[in-house]
């Protein structure tokens, strides 16, 4: 969907003449009361569920959760996935032409925030004629968008389902993002963010960025269980540069794959959106004050082994909501997979979300 | 000290015609029974204690622990610091000429292991006429060397003091090392490890490597307490590339400093020595079996917030020693600083080491 009206951004800049790519699943009911918005995290898109005809391995990134008969059941709900501006999966982003010059934005793409994405999503809903969402659902950075919805548009959602998320990034979280950004920005092929014009890609930087990211997505224990100290070739070959351990092979493979499809400027933009999200900042760091405007019901979920967005961070949000006597339910799932658990189909986790969405469906009369 | 006799390495290669730089503090007693070897970790050297005349800020890396009247009291002990081969602080390393070609070894420097370093240290002691050490002391990678001493030369030390260490690296530890190595190796200025001939340095890779390292040296809580989400300029400037948060400024500074003095090939060699250390491997992964040969007394120390070498890793070693009914004392220090705590002067930690070395001194008659 194309938007001719500029989007005012939190930075003071604006995004002009942009498009959002979105997908929907299921049918909007006549009362328009069964819509659920699913917000994506760093490395995902509007393609939440289902497969594309004739395309192998084209499952949506949350296909295990969203679909007919699944926990977020598209026989009941009208589910919307939208790609955020600044991304590299279809919506207007750094690889698209700057309206002033006709050349790719590159590093000149305006800095976008979680709040800006939520505003863009709200405009999409306006265009779709949906005044109030049954729920906004997101994990990780997507969970931050769900939380932001509850604060910016409190009347436009009845439920906020925020999984494996945090009220802001810790210093350590920012530190990991910054190392990844430095790896990209200092890659000579980055060319100050205008690598498109040089017909090249900062692949080396993207690989290192992705390897760092992967370490933080997995728990120490999960990595130990999956790879341990296994050697690729059974015995050490005593080399500083060759692959020696299985974990190295895995990380290099993940880095290589990522560097072929992900845009370097998008990586910078999305990690910055993570860094900046901090609804308490405007309230002197008081998260309870920040949540004063929220009126919807909340379901929060965290995973015991998630050290990127640890359970304690979700509990901060729960406390802020309880301080306001809001309707909040919180589940801490004992799962071994670290942050990645939010994308996996742990039966307790999916059972919980199924029960929650069943309740949401009953509210609009779907028995 | 120069060694004309080649050193046989674990890899099967050998190191020919090498030198070790070392420093000593205090006086060797006539019985030669008061010597303590201090082993260094990644980023340190033979310069353990004291300052160089006329050089500001030239304190040794463990100067808070080692010196006259300090916990490891050089009025009683003869302390030896030795730079390991492969390092970049004086002993034969990748920047020195290969004896075959006369050109710098670069990436052709043989892969060295913890065991090789211990063998080189033992030869130095032979040359110094010291048959048995009162103690070997080390932290982190230095602690691995202390453990290795107890296994390779069980009769040559009476005490092993291993701080903030582990019986091997976890998959996550290896993963962090590998990302750092990839950042260095893929820096175009690395030139396959022969950058000396190109009169350049892979500074970008070293910076990223050091930034990653620094994150793992500090605890999440210490980083939060020291930097939190403080902005460098008070308010956000909305930039993807400029420094925005204090933590970014700190990490960039650490990376810049490091890239000016540390050798890239040394970084690869030392992280590989960490990866390879695994005394249990030759015993089918059975750490208890690995420690069967150890006969000295042990003091192990870990720090509660050290997530790089967590207390659980030290407890594995304690268990292996207890299985053999060895004399082992273990302290888990409640300290906020993460892995870096082993270099700081936490009073409980230093008090413990002072008491331990007092006991060691009494054994050779120093009251």
């Amino acid at each position: 969907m194309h938007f001719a009206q500029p989007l005012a951004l939190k930075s003071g800049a604006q995004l002009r003449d942009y498009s959002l790519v979105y997908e929907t699943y299921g049918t909007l009911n006549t009362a328009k009361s069964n819509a659920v918005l699913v917000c994506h995290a760093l490395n995902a898109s509007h393609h939440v569920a289902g497969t594309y005809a004739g395309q192998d391995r084209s499952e949506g990134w949350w296909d295990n959760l969203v679909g007919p008969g699944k926990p977020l059941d598209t026989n009941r709900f009208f589910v919307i996935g939208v790609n955020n501006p600044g991304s590299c999966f279809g919506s207007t982003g750094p690889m698209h032409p700057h309206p002033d010059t006709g050349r790719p934005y590159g590093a000149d793409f305006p800095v976008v925030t979680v709040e800006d994405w939520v505003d863009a999503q709200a405009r999409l809903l306006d265009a779709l004629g949906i005044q109030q969402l049954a729920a906004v659902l997101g994990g990780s950075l997507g969970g931050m968008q769900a939380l932001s919805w509850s604060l910016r548009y409190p009347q436009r959602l009845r439920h906020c389902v925020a999984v494996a998320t945090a009220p802001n990034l810790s210093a350590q979280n920012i530190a990991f993002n910054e190392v990844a950004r430095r790896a990209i920005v200092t890659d000579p092929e980055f060319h100050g963010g205008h690598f498109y014009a040089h017909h090249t890609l900062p692949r080396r930087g993207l690989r290192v960025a992705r390897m760092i990211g992967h370490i933080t997505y997995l728990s120490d224990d999960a990595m130990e269980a999956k790879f341990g100290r296994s050697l690729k070739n059974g015995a050490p070959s005593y080399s500083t540069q060759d692959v020696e351990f299985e974990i190295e092979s895995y990380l290099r493979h993940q880095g290589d794959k990522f560097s072929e499809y992900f845009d370097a400027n998008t990586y910078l933009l999305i990690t910055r959106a993570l860094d900046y999200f901090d609804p308490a900042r405007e309230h002197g760091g008081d998260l309870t004050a920040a949540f004063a405007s929220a009126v919807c019901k909340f379901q929060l979920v965290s995973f015991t082994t998630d050290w990127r967005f640890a359970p304690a961070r979700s509990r901060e949000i729960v406390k802020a909501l309880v301080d306001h006597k809001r309707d909040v339910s919180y589940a801490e799932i004992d799962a071994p997979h670290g942050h990645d658990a939010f994308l996996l189909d742990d039966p307790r986790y999916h059972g919980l979300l199924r029960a929650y969405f069943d309740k949401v469906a009953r509210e609009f009369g779907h028995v």
Side-chain angles (χ1 to χ4, degrees), chain A:
Chain A
M1 187 171 293
H2 179 254
F3 296 81
Q5 180 82 2
L7 182 72
L9 304 174
K10 198 171 178 185
S11 67
Q14 56 178 27
L15 183 63
R16 288 162 44 202
D17 200 32
Y18 64 100
S19 296
L20 298 180
V21 177
Y22 68 101
E23 291 186 2
T24 67
Y25 320 88
T27 307
L28 187 62
N29 62 14
T30 46
K32 298 187 174 181
S33 61
N34 69 334
V36 173
L37 176 69
V38 177
C39 304
H40 71 75
L42 194 148
N43 175 35
S45 72
H46 51 284
H47 183 43
V48 174
T51 54
Y52 297 132
Q55 287 187 35
D56 281 349
R57 307 185 59 167
S58 64
E59 289 80 13
W61 58 273
W62 224 343
D63 190 61
N64 61 21
L65 187 80
V66 181
K70 294 183 181 174
L72 178 49
D73 186 350
T74 52
N75 289 330
R76 297 170 169 188
F77 290 98
F78 178 67
V79 175
I80 305 157
V82 54
N83 189 219
N84 289 323
S87 175
C88 53
F89 295 119
S91 293
T92 300
M95 67 299 301
H96 292 132
H98 192 302
D100 283 350
T101 64
R103 290 192 298 273
Y105 276 105
D108 299 328
F109 195 87
V111 167
V112 281
T113 63
V114 166
E115 290 79 5
D116 299 330
W117 288 335
V118 166
D119 289 352
Q121 291 159 4
R123 282 193 178 185
L124 175 67
L125 295 183
D126 293 343
L128 297 176
I130 297 168
Q131 181 50 36
Q132 192 185 53
L133 291 157
V136 181
L137 165 67
S140 189
L141 175 57
M144 291 176 169
Q145 294 162 59
L147 295 174
S148 186
W149 262 96
S150 77
L151 304 176
R152 288 181 88 70
Y153 301 100
Q155 305 300 333
R156 293 194 71 174
L157 73 170
R158 296 193 299 278
H159 296 268
C160 171
V161 184
V163 182
T165 194
N168 60 35
L169 293 198
S170 68
Q172 190 189 65
N173 293 148
I174 296 172
F176 280 120
N177 281 347
E178 172 67 359
V179 183
R181 281 191 296 264
R182 295 314 291 168
I184 291 170
V185 165
T186 63
D187 184 330
E189 309 273 27
F190 183 66
H191 295 288
H194 295 284
F195 49 88
Y196 315 105
H198 293 78
H199 307 290
T200 183
L201 294 171
R203 285 190 187 86
R204 288 177 291 244
L206 276 166
R207 282 187 196 117
V208 167
R210 185 58 165 178
M211 290 169 83
I212 295 168
H214 252 280
I215 297 175
T216 69
Y217 304 152
L218 300 180
S219 71
D220 192 6
D221 285 350
M223 212 181 249
E224 199 62 25
K226 190 166 178 185
F227 304 103
R229 295 182 49 81
S230 296
L231 292 163
K232 184 82 181 163
N233 301 310
S237 62
Y238 296 102
S239 162
T240 57
Q241 295 185 43
D242 295 345
V243 164
E244 189 76 309
F245 294 89
E246 293 279 5
I247 180 66
E248 298 172 339
S249 175
Y250 171 77
L251 286 178
R252 289 195 195 185
H253 175 68
Q254 294 296 335
D256 288 349
K257 263 200 327 191
F258 189 72
S259 72
E260 294 302 320
Y261 74 80
F262 207 83
D263 179 77
N265 285 307
T266 291
Y267 202 90
L268 305 183
L269 288 166
I270 296 194
T271 54
R272 263 306 190 214
L274 275 159
D275 292 354
Y276 285 129
F277 182 68
D278 189 4
R281 185 179 287 277
E282 288 155 35
H283 301 271
D286 182 344
L287 193 64
T288 296
F291 273 94
S293 60
V295 294
C296 71
K297 296 176 182 174
F298 286 82
Q299 171 68 57
L300 290 154
V301 182
S302 72
F303 301 94
T304 48
T305 57
D306 183 353
W307 60 282
R308 187 181 170 95
F309 290 153
R313 305 310 316 274
S314 281
R315 280 187 239 119
E316 292 176 35
I317 302 164
V318 173
K319 184 194 173 298
L321 292 166
V322 168
D323 285 344
H324 291 294
K325 302 189 170 30
R326 293 289 174 268
D327 186 328
V328 52
S329 165
Y330 169 56
E332 206 166 299
I333 306 282
D334 190 0
H337 305 99
H339 189 60
D340 258 2
F342 92 86
L343 292 170
L344 304 177
D345 61 353
D346 179 279
R348 281 175 294 191
Y349 164 46
H350 273 200
L352 177 99
L353 288 188
R354 181 182 290 278
Y356 196 83
F357 282 111
D358 281 354
K359 187 181 74 170
V360 176
R362 282 195 297 275
E363 288 177 359
F364 57 79
H366 201 113
V367 192

